[in-house]
């Protein structure tokens, strides 16, 4: 299972347990997550529903792969090695 899949399973478990009436403390103990994690997912779900479970964009420049760049780096490494 991918990391994304594991995260979604964890988020879903948290929300289902809360929805069944379990206290946040009991959810923390059962799912083995931190208090901020439980409250973050509850808040995001209450504010945006299922869409709130999607990953939010992160700050910083996105990763850009330039065709041929890795090949040029490999060639430069090969030349630098004795």
């Amino acid at each position: 299972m991918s990391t994304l899949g594991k995260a979604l399973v964890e988020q879903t478990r948290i929300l289902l347990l809360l929805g069944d009436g379990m206290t946040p403390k009991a959810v923390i103990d059962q799912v083995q997550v931190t208090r901020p994690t439980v409250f973050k997912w509850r808040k995001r779900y209450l504010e945006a529903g299922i869409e709130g479970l999607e990953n939010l964009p992160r700050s910083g420049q996105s990763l850009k792969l330039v065709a041929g760049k890795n090949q040029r780096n490999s060639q430069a490494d090969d030349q630098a090695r004795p």
Side-chain angles (χ1 to χ4, degrees):
M1 185 182 301
S2 69
T3 302
L4 179 60
K6 289 178 185 177
L8 187 57
V9 168
E10 182 178 275
Q11 295 161 12
T12 304
R13 284 187 68 208
I14 290 168
L15 293 171
L16 287 172
L17 292 171
L18 289 170
D20 284 344
M22 193 175 276
T23 66
K25 173 65 175 136
V27 173
I28 290 165
D29 293 339
Q30 183 164 336
V31 184
Q32 295 294 300
V33 293
T34 64
R35 184 177 189 277
T37 298
V38 170
F39 285 97
K40 172 178 80 173
W41 292 117
R42 182 177 73 171
K43 179 181 180 208
R44 283 179 56 177
Y45 179 75
L46 291 174
E47 290 177 351
I50 296 295
E51 291 79 25
L53 303 182
E54 295 177 12
N55 286 330
L56 298 175
R58 297 181 180 203
S59 62
Q61 187 174 11
S62 62
L63 178 63
K64 296 177 187 171
L65 297 177
V66 179
K69 183 176 181 180
N70 289 338
Q71 184 179 6
R72 287 193 304 269
N73 288 342
S74 294
Q75 289 171 351
D77 288 343
D78 290 342
Q79 292 172 354
R81 292 183 187 148

